[in-house]
Amino acid sequence: MLTLACLLVIPYEEIIFRGFIFSKINTWVKGVPNSYLISAIMTSGLFALYHYQEGGGAVLQIFIFALVQMGLYKVV
């Protein structure tokens, strides 16, 4: 089951959140100062809320981790 989750769920989340949602939000706020940061915060918030069933502490941790990933995405 864990192998299936790694092969299906993780790529799905990355494609949907980083590939589609982030790109759409970034397009909507293009031209606004700090548009990348705004898009990263909104995408990370949505991603964290997507995991609300894991509890409030997990949502906060996921939000912070998602922001770190978006920072790395920007650098790379």
Side-chain angles (χ1 to χ4, degrees), residues 5-47:
C6 289
L7 292 175
L8 299 176
V9 175
I10 294 170
Y12 162 78
E13 289 180 348
E14 290 299 318
I15 290 168
I16 296 298
F17 284 95
R18 308 281 188 284
F20 181 72
I21 295 174
F22 173 76
S23 297
K24 284 295 181 189
I25 293 173
N26 201 28
T27 301
W28 293 338
V29 296
K30 199 166 195 113
V32 175
N34 298 316
S35 61
Y36 186 86
L37 180 61
I38 293 167
S39 302
I41 290 170
M42 290 176 73
T43 304
S44 298
L46 288 171
F47 185 70

Side-chain angles (χ1 to χ4, degrees), residues 39-60:
S39 302
I41 290 170
M42 290 176 73
T43 304
S44 298
L46 288 171
F47 185 70
L49 289 174
Y50 179 73
H51 293 88
Y52 75 94
Q53 74 277 4
E54 295 178 28
V59 168
L60 180 61

